Amino acid sequence: MQLAGKKIILGVCGSIAAYKSALIVRGLVKAGAQVKVLMTESATAFISPLTLSTLSRRPVTTSVHDGESWDNHVELGLWADALLVAPLTATTLAKMAHGICDNPVVAVYLSARCPVFFAPAMDLDMWAHPATRRNVARLRSYGNHLIDVAEGELASGLHGAGRLAEPETILAELERFFARAPADDKMALPQVPGKVEEQGEDPTSVVRPLAVAPTRNDYAGRRLLITAGPTHEDLDPVRYLGNKSTGRMGIALAEAAAARGASVDLVLGPTELSTTDPGINLVPVRSAREMHAVCVALWPKADAAILSAAVADYRPASMAQQKIKKEDKPLRIDLVRNPDIAAELGEDKKPHQRLVGFALETENALENARGKLERKNLDLIVLNSPNDEGAAFGHTTNKIQLLDRDTVTAFELKPKRAVADDILDALAGRF
């Protein structure tokens, strides 16, 4: 178990999802981790500090003045191997993003010299608000790790994105991080003057490592073209042909690539989701032909393209200028083929470029994916299926297989951000 012996601080904020913090603590302790819990004042209205103290087997901090001195939050920040804030409310998210230090979670966050993970939980409209999106992007720009929200029924009765990720998902993210992070990550980082360890030592001679969340820069200097979302093919002024893609997988790929140092062009079809990541050049499009034109223009400048968009294969031969009226007889719509973006980029691919496609299959999956890989001159293809529970469209998770010309690698169901890193890991080895 990668969490055995790890020192984990759990920050709990005032959300209805705070009850899940008990399950997180129990899971961490069961995995062999040492756990210390911080709570905002509002969090204590949702779950008792005594409950979390009992589960963690340690006192719970509920105020910045807890402990023997103000240095307590500094000591906690130095003690931890990771800081996890779950659930993270919109209020504390904003405070962390802007350094407003008025609760123990933010106080320890600002003092932490360890990787920081944050798992938001809030209502649908709060999560979608531009202020929230900017705050998330700001936290991630500092090198912190987002554990994305899940979709489902919310406390308001609405259904959509905003639920706290399940405890199993959160623990899996921590396990995955520690499995990949070198043991000496913190010691390899730059050093700054720190606190004197013992009385009498020369303050100028004692340093502690300045630890931030370890990030990989394996895509530094690379330019990636990523497509995401559906396309809409207009039938008349009010109707279109489309599909169920939300663009979440492609946005996760773009954000993960930017976090790893890439310069990203994200060509995004019509969807309610977006990104404010400063490392991403967002190009919104609507139709397959618009997406095709943008991709053809950007491809010569790219080191790689990841084509995760669900592009319509066909469009109406002509768009009606007025709304099509309902009649008693059957309606016939003539369709024509849209340009094949993957095939065209594959045909123009230069020796230094890499091309990754996606295949969404419901039958003969491996055979169809292999055929697409060969026909379109792809280096990798990502195979997923709506037949797998929690995979493909409309989910915050995905279950994929990665194919090249020689191998097939299967992955378990994971959050789409974790899937994005799996894809980027595979692509990085092919440059």
Side-chain angles (χ1 to χ4, degrees):
M1 297 287 288
Q2 300 296 331
L3 292 173
K6 297 298 183 184
K7 300 172 181 177
I8 309 295
I9 294 175
L10 174 64
V12 182
C13 304
S15 162
I16 189 65
Y19 76 91
K20 292 184 180 180
S21 61
L23 302 176
I24 296 170
V25 172
R26 187 173 68 175
L28 289 170
V29 171
K30 187 176 180 180
Q34 301 178 52
V35 184
K36 293 187 177 182
V37 179
L38 314 172
M39 300 180 72
T40 64
E41 182 179 356
S42 60
T44 63
F46 292 93
I47 186 169
S48 165
L50 178 60
T51 299
L52 299 181
S53 176
T54 302
L55 291 171
S56 65
R57 303 166 191 166
R58 287 178 169 82
V60 170
T61 299
T62 58
S63 167
V64 291
H65 302 293
D66 281 359
E68 296 180 358
S69 73
W70 176 250
D71 287 340
N72 189 52
H73 70 283
V74 177
E75 294 299 330
L76 279 172
L78 296 174
W79 173 82
D81 292 308
L83 167 61
L84 165 66
V85 186
L88 173 61
T89 59
T91 298
T92 300
L93 167 66
K95 291 177 179 179
M96 290 173 66
H98 295 277
I100 300 173
C101 183
D102 66 351
N103 68 47
V105 174
V106 183
V108 173
Y109 163 69
L110 293 176
S111 303
R113 298 185 177 185
C114 63
V116 176
F117 298 81
F118 63 103
M122 61 195 73
D123 207 64
L124 174 67
D125 296 319
M126 296 171 68
W127 176 245
H129 196 279
T132 302
R133 309 311 300 162
R134 281 195 295 270
N135 288 335
V136 169
R138 182 184 289 257
L139 269 193
R140 293 189 58 211
S141 74
Y142 299 155
N144 302 314
H145 303 265
L146 169 66
I147 301 177
D148 205 359
V149 299
E151 292 185 0
E153 186 175 357
L154 304 171
S156 64
L158 297 175
H159 190 283
R163 288 171 60 95
L164 178 68
E166 290 303 315
E168 295 83 1
T169 299
I170 293 171
L171 295 174
E173 284 287 293
L174 292 176
E175 288 272 9
R176 183 173 178 273
F177 173 82
F178 284 116
R180 294 196 322 194
D184 61 348
D185 257 335
K186 288 199 284 188
M187 296 309 297
L189 293 163
Q191 294 186 326
V192 294
K195 183 179 176 181
V196 177
E197 296 291 346
E198 297 179 5
Q199 187 174 3
E201 290 187 57
D202 179 2
T204 63
S205 67
V206 179
V207 295
R208 283 186 175 177
L210 173 62
V212 296
T215 56
R216 290 170 293 162
N217 287 312
D218 50 350
Y219 278 84
R222 301 281 186 193
R223 184 166 183 175
L224 266 60
L225 167 62
I226 298 175
T227 66
T231 62
H232 289 175
E233 311 300 326
D234 290 323
L235 287 167
D236 63 23
V238 298
R239 300 184 181 94
Y240 61 84
L241 299 178
N243 56 61
K244 297 179 180 179
S245 174
T246 63
R248 187 181 298 276
M249 186 70 251
I251 291 171
L253 279 161
E255 292 180 342
R260 292 167 67 159
S263 173
V264 180
D265 293 307
L266 175 60
V267 186
L268 183 62
T271 173
E272 294 180 356
L273 302 181
S274 188
T275 179
T276 57
D277 193 306
I280 297 173
N281 171 40
L282 181 63
V283 185
V285 297
R286 177 175 173 79
S287 69
R289 284 181 291 179
E290 290 176 0
M291 185 172 285
H292 169 263
V294 173
C295 288
V296 168
L298 293 175
W299 179 228
K301 306 172 187 177
D303 295 294
I306 305 177
L307 306 179
S308 69
V311 184
D313 294 323
Y314 294 89
R315 69 179 186 275
S318 61
M319 174 184 164
Q321 297 305 306
Q322 303 296 330
K323 179 183 175 182
I324 300 172
K325 295 296 184 180
K326 180 170 62 177
E327 299 180 0
D328 291 336
K329 60 183 180 180
L331 175 66
R332 175 176 173 172
I333 300 173
D334 293 324
L335 302 177
V336 296
R337 282 290 303 269
N338 273 321
D340 191 322
I341 298 173
E344 189 162 337
L345 299 193
E347 184 177 349
D348 292 338
K349 186 174 66 173
K350 303 297 186 293
H352 72 280
Q353 292 179 309
R354 300 293 177 264
L355 186 59
V356 181
F358 270 66
L360 180 68
E361 302 292 344
T362 58
E363 59 181 352
N364 302 323
L366 285 173
E367 179 183 351
N368 290 335
R370 285 194 180 101
K372 187 174 182 179
L373 179 79
E374 295 290 341
R375 290 194 309 275
K376 302 189 179 184
N377 194 24
L378 305 176
D379 296 281
L380 283 170
I381 192 163
V382 182
L383 172 61
N384 58 172
S385 172
N387 297 333
D388 291 324
E389 186 176 355
F393 295 157
H395 298 284
T396 58
T397 54
N398 204 358
K399 183 178 181 181
I400 68 165
Q401 297 180 72
L402 273 175
L403 288 74
D404 60 19
R405 283 171 170 73
D406 302 312
T407 61
V408 178
T409 305
F411 296 83
E412 62 188 16
L413 185 71
K414 297 181 180 182
K416 286 184 173 176
R417 177 56 190 269
V419 174
D421 275 318
D422 287 336
I423 296 168
L424 292 171
D425 287 348
L427 175 60
R430 286 166 169 76
F431 282 114

